[in-house]
Amino acid sequence: MASTDTGHSERVNGAPIQAAIHIDPARQVAQVDNRIFSSFIEHLGKCIYGGVVPYKDDRPELISERGFRKDVLGLVRDDLKLSVIRYPGGNFVSSYRWKDGIGPKELRPRRPELAWGSEESNQFGTDEYIQWCREARVEPYICLNMGTGTLEDALDWVEYCNGSGNTYWANKRRQNSGSHEPYHVKYWGLGNEMYGPWTINNLTADEYTRKAQHSGQNGYNLWDATLLQGLAKFVDLHSIHNFSGFGERDRSDGKDYERRVFGTEAAEKGIQITRSLIDLAVSNNTVSASYQHYDLTDCLAMASWFNVFIRNADIIAMANNAQLVNAIAPILTAPNKLLKQTTFYPYYLFSNHMRGAVDAPSFSLTVHVDSPTYSGETLPQWIGGLREGHNQSPSCKWIDSSAVFIPHTEGSKVVVSIVNRHPTAEANIDIKLAGYTGVGSYTTYYIYHPSADAANTFESPENVKVNETQDTWENGENRIRVVVKEHCFTMLVIPVKQA
């Protein structure tokens, strides 16, 4: 049996966790949609001005020909390999006047920004966003203003981006961009979190539905049921929003570690409920802000979020992390500087190793995990109450895992993600493959630091980073023993062949 030890810290007191992960490449959930590796940018803090476009003090060599930060573009395009970027919000969109952000920049009006209480210069708008997407090699996804916006505004915006005829807004685009070709924006979101009192001109579920809103709440709310019943035959995707350990309100009583690393349990339950709501709606309709610094705990939470997306590949088509740069983001910038936060690295590992290709699609696998469970407080609290006696209930297992199978004529592989969410105990984990054996060596990537509070700073940019080891299979074996340190994220890339 092959063996891997991730991390080399001193052993913690107490017995390690004993766990097993059972994987059968023949038991596939669905093909992984590469759109789960997506994000969004918003006019919030320095996300746009300082993150996407440069600071005034940035050196010329950091700026692209079209006026964007090259270093951020490089991470998006070459490192994270993102698929879709949503714009312009976020809460910002609920009072956004898109027509203010087109045409000569010197003529664009400066407006009060109502969502975040600032001012908007409109120096970055639709044309700049499309140009940036082209340079970043991502698909644009525009979110419409369903707060103060009107149907006419929405129709005009669609015409401006996608119109090919001799019409007013299509000609405006040609005049402003210098290009005859439409922008071909495929993805349009109808508003953002319109259920919330923090949103300008928020709506009830019935009002929201009547206004053709398809953005959901969290997947387990009456709001989502109402929307799906009314809109299932009109929309392609239903959006739900969830957060784990959002802000200081969840970090003030010493319990924030567990709340963050187990916050994904609520999201997965919301996805399962939404799956049932969609089935019911389809049947009934007969249709086919600011800088936030992240530590290692947030890195584990991000990895668990991606585990949720992979495990639910049969229903998750897109995931847009909020946000990309400078505002609750994995990337921070300062004049002439760039920082990869701890949350950058799970993004990087999942996107680079669990992503499929045309000739090598990635298939999510059914993964069975034998692991002790966490029995303490959860956020939201009701998740903890479902731990026992419910079908498909949240498990709150200390060991969280997902896996994909990537077949290819030149060599297939299984990629396994493991998050040890225990704060103080390492884990001895047996990974058992059914019907397949290992081939040669395999690669282990892990993210670990002795302190779960460890973070990256501009002064210490690699305090938390990805480590890599190579290990060799014993001939004919179908098991790997991996020792995963406490509060550690590990990913194994395993070449396999049929037994």
Side-chain angles (χ1 to χ4, degrees):
M1 180 176 66
S3 179
T4 301
D5 188 341
T6 62
H8 302 284
S9 72
E10 296 181 3
R11 290 180 60 87
V12 296
N13 294 327
I17 293 171
Q18 303 298 324
I21 299 174
H22 304 266
I23 300 171
D24 183 352
R27 298 186 63 185
Q28 298 173 5
V29 177
Q31 185 171 336
V32 174
D33 195 318
N34 286 342
R35 291 176 297 179
I36 70 169
F37 309 112
S38 299
S39 188
F40 86 81
I41 55 176
E42 178 175 5
H43 292 257
L44 167 61
K46 296 178 181 178
C47 180
I48 301 294
Y49 305 111
V52 173
V53 297
Y55 295 95
K56 293 181 179 179
D57 298 331
D58 279 337
R59 298 188 302 271
E61 59 266 28
L62 277 181
I63 305 170
S64 74
E65 184 179 338
R66 292 186 176 273
F68 306 126
R69 281 195 63 137
K70 288 181 180 178
D71 49 0
V72 174
L73 279 169
L75 290 185
V76 173
R77 180 183 59 234
D78 305 324
D79 289 40
L80 295 181
K81 300 180 174 67
L82 299 183
S83 298
V84 179
I85 297 292
R86 183 180 184 230
Y87 172 83
N91 293 340
F92 171 83
V93 75
S94 292
S95 64
Y96 180 55
R97 308 181 194 184
W98 74 269
K99 294 168 186 174
D100 288 347
I102 60 172
K105 290 187 176 182
E106 65 274 13
L107 300 180
R108 298 182 188 182
R110 190 176 183 90
R111 303 272 190 195
E113 198 285 290
L114 303 181
W116 304 111
S118 60
E119 295 182 359
E120 175 51 48
S121 69
N122 286 301
Q123 295 302 288
F124 185 94
T126 302
D127 298 304
E128 290 78 21
Y129 164 65
I130 297 296
Q131 291 166 1
W132 184 84
C133 286
R134 300 298 185 246
E135 290 200 32
R137 298 177 196 156
V138 298
E139 283 285 344
Y141 165 12
I142 290 178
C143 185
L144 297 169
N145 176 358
M146 297 293 285
T148 63
T150 65
L151 176 59
E152 182 179 354
D153 292 331
L155 292 172
D156 290 346
W157 206 353
V158 172
E159 180 191 336
Y160 184 85
C161 291
N162 293 348
S164 58
N166 184 25
T167 59
Y168 180 81
W169 288 109
N171 288 331
K172 273 290 185 184
R173 182 199 68 243
R174 296 182 182 104
Q175 176 184 332
N176 293 332
S177 69
S179 173
H180 182 79
E181 285 298 309
Y183 289 151
H184 300 294
V185 178
K186 295 192 294 186
Y187 305 114
W188 295 85
L190 303 178
N192 179 77
E193 296 181 357
M194 294 304 298
Y195 48 82
W198 55 85
T199 299
I200 295 165
N201 199 24
N202 61 298
L203 304 169
T204 68
D206 288 330
E207 292 169 337
Y208 204 44
T209 302
R210 283 195 296 270
K211 206 171 180 180
Q213 173 70 23
H214 83 249
S215 175
Q217 187 166 356
N218 48 32
Y220 47 80
N221 195 285
L222 182 60
W223 181 279
D224 298 271
T226 302
L227 263 60
L228 284 166
Q229 283 296 320
L231 296 174
K233 60 186 177 183
F234 302 114
V235 300
D236 298 308
L237 301 175
H238 177 66
S239 170
I240 63 176
H241 288 199
N242 283 277
F243 301 89
S244 56
F246 186 78
E248 294 303 318
R249 69 186 183 205
D250 297 329
R251 302 186 180 198
S252 59
D253 59 2
K255 300 177 182 178
D256 59 289
Y257 175 87
E258 289 83 0
R259 287 172 173 172
R260 280 186 274 168
V261 298
F262 286 101
T264 55
E265 302 284 339
E268 189 152 22
K269 190 62 180 177
I271 290 166
Q272 293 165 358
I273 294 172
T274 301
R275 184 197 310 273
S276 299
L277 292 175
I278 290 172
D279 289 343
L280 178 62
V282 168
S283 173
N284 287 347
N285 286 284
T286 63
V287 207
S288 54
S290 57
Y291 267 5
Q292 184 159 333
H293 293 276
Y294 293 119
D295 57 26
L296 181 57
T297 303
D298 299 300
C299 169
L300 303 183
M302 177 69 85
S304 288
W305 276 106
F306 273 108
N307 281 342
V308 169
F309 301 151
I310 296 296
R311 286 195 297 263
N312 293 275
D314 59 329
I315 194 170
I316 300 294
M318 188 188 299
N320 301 86
N321 178 62
Q323 276 105 355
L324 177 64
V325 55
N326 284 345
I328 52 173
I331 302 169
L332 295 184
T333 67
N336 303 307
K337 296 180 182 179
L338 180 144
L339 177 69
K340 300 172 185 176
Q341 294 222 72
T342 61
T343 52
F344 176 91
Y345 294 107
Y347 230 130
Y348 172 83
L349 289 175
F350 275 91
S351 183
N352 279 272
H353 298 293
M354 286 197 172
R355 171 188 296 274
V358 174
D359 60 343
S362 175
F363 294 97
S364 170
L365 300 178
T366 298
V367 175
H368 178 75
V369 179
D370 293 322
S371 163
T373 61
Y374 166 69
S375 59
E377 181 180 334
T378 58
L379 185 70
Q381 290 185 351
W382 61 264
I383 284 295
L386 293 179
R387 275 182 286 231
E388 302 294 337
H390 289 74
N391 186 36
Q392 289 190 316
S393 62
S395 59
C396 294
K397 293 180 179 180
W398 286 117
I399 303 303
D400 184 56
S401 182
S402 68
V404 299
F405 176 57
I406 304 178
H408 194 273
T409 54
E410 296 182 1
S412 301
K413 59 186 176 181
V414 169
V415 184
V416 185
S417 160
I418 305 171
V419 183
N420 180 1
R421 301 189 285 195
H422 200 289
T424 59
E426 69 179 21
N428 296 327
I429 304 172
D430 285 332
I431 301 173
K432 302 176 182 180
L433 294 177
Y436 282 77
T437 61
V439 179
S441 63
Y442 61 93
T443 306
T444 301
Y445 302 95
Y446 64 94
I447 302 172
Y448 174 75
H449 191 281
S451 172
D453 297 325
N456 291 338
T457 65
F458 285 107
E459 294 71 31
S460 300
E462 294 189 345
N463 197 31
V464 177
K465 62 181 181 179
V466 177
N467 302 278
E468 178 180 345
T469 64
Q470 294 287 327
D471 297 277
T472 303
W473 283 88
E474 295 182 16
N475 188 38
E477 282 283 354
N478 68 342
R479 292 193 300 164
I480 294 174
R481 164 64 62 87
V482 57
V483 180
V484 180
K485 292 297 182 183
E486 68 280 3
H487 55 258
C488 177
F489 168 49
T490 297
M491 179 173 285
L492 288 83
V493 180
I494 309 169
V496 296
K497 64 179 181 181
Q498 284 190 298

